[in-house]
Amino acid sequence: GAVVSQHPSRVICKSGTSVKIECRSLDFQATTMFWYRQFPKKSLMLMATSNEGSKATYEQGVEKDKFLINHASLTLSTLTVTSAHPEDSSFYICSARPHENTEAFFGQGTRLTVV
Amino acid sequence: RKEVEQDPGPFNVPEGATVAFNCTYSNSASQSFFWYRQDCRKEPKLLMSVYSSGNEDGRFTAQLNRASQYISLLIRDSKLSDSATYLCVVKRGGSYIPTFGRGTSLIVHP
């Protein structure tokens, strides 16, 4: 079946540094990918929609200059958390779907800890 | 009111029990419905889609009630391995963005 791969699965970084998370669709092309953040015991919250070849669409309250999204190809989207702070520590998950009405496949998630 | 609401639980049940979760949605234009399962510190995985006529997959039964705007998930003969968080997902017609409920935690004990 369709697979979405996310890397890294876990990262610890110092405050003020930037962290890049990759999301790849392995056996299908995804013109659109989604980035979510999940705090403990909370729901997945959509951060932004990544569009291949164009700017990402950010949800209200999400800083686009802090969470940089690049969707350079039909199989790769990256999320860069710039100048990370401890409050950015969270579980970040990407998803993509082969077609609009099919199920969404999720990456394995990235657990970011900012110290 | 949140677009998708779920009772967070936890639901604590013994093995073999039958347990049911409900999920309400506020947007009547919603057209696609899913249940996802998420294990601790893992990504969500599709458990089953929810069809208008209701559908069953082994021990799992999903129902949709459009009039009352809720979907349900019934798990029969609970197993220890069913312990997880169950996420209700709703997608509006014409939108490609799914909306997630906060999830319902299920703990099945021996």
Side-chain angles (χ1 to χ4, degrees):
Chain A
V3 177
V4 174
S5 177
Q6 188 173 339
H7 177 81
S9 59
R10 190 183 300 269
V11 58
I12 300 173
C13 71
K14 292 183 178 180
S15 286
T17 61
S18 294
V19 175
K20 180 186 283 189
I21 303 170
E22 291 187 350
C23 180
R24 294 180 184 272
S25 56
L26 296 185
D27 57 0
F28 65 95
Q29 293 182 332
T31 55
T32 305
M33 292 185 177
F34 305 98
W35 287 97
Y36 294 85
R37 179 166 56 185
Q38 187 177 34
F39 292 106
K41 299 185 185 297
K42 299 291 185 183
S43 178
L44 288 165
M45 296 300 296
L46 180 66
M47 298 176 66
T49 302
S50 172
N51 305 298
E52 188 269 336
S54 65
K55 292 181 179 180
T57 304
Y58 290 81
E59 295 300 298
Q60 192 173 9
V62 178
E63 299 175 57
K64 62 181 180 181
D65 294 329
K66 180 167 183 62
F67 299 100
L68 299 179
I69 291 174
N70 186 298
H71 196 145
S73 76
L74 287 169
T75 59
L76 173 65
S77 175
T78 61
L79 169 68
T80 301
V81 182
T82 63
S83 187
H85 289 103
E87 56 265 32
D88 297 325
S89 299
S90 186
F91 192 49
Y92 293 86
I93 306 178
C94 69
S95 81
R97 55 167 54 87
H99 305 288
E100 183 178 318
N101 291 319
T102 59
E103 66 172 286
F105 294 94
F106 288 86
Q108 300 93 325
T110 297
R111 186 158 301 281
L112 171 64
T113 303
V114 184
V115 297
Chain B
R1 182 185 174 188
K2 291 183 180 177
E3 191 166 345
V4 180
E5 295 205 60
Q6 290 183 254
D7 180 346
F11 285 64
N12 211 316
V13 303
E15 270 187 291
T18 295
V19 61
F21 310 135
N22 277 348
C23 166
T24 59
Y25 60 94
S26 61
N27 193 322
S28 59
S30 300
Q31 290 193 355
S32 303
F33 309 89
F34 309 89
W35 283 103
Y36 277 74
R37 170 192 170 132
Q38 186 175 24
D39 292 292
C40 188
R41 296 175 176 261
K42 299 286 187 182
E43 77 276 21
K45 292 185 178 176
L46 180 68
L47 178 65
M48 57 197 306
S49 303
V50 186
Y51 302 120
S52 298
S53 55
N55 47 299
E56 188 175 306
D57 183 2
R59 298 181 293 109
F60 300 85
T61 301
Q63 298 275 1
L64 167 63
N65 186 316
R66 287 192 183 274
S68 300
Q69 294 185 196
Y70 76 85
I71 66 172
S72 63
L73 177 67
L74 180 78
I75 305 176
R76 291 182 299 278
D77 188 23
S78 299
K79 310 290 184 191
L80 295 176
S81 57
D82 292 335
S83 297
T85 296
Y86 292 83
L87 300 168
C88 165
V89 180
V90 173
K91 193 166 78 73
R92 295 195 303 275
S95 169
Y96 51 82
I97 302 175
T99 302
F100 289 82
R102 63 177 296 182
T104 297
S105 177
L106 171 66
I107 302 170
V108 182
H109 58 82

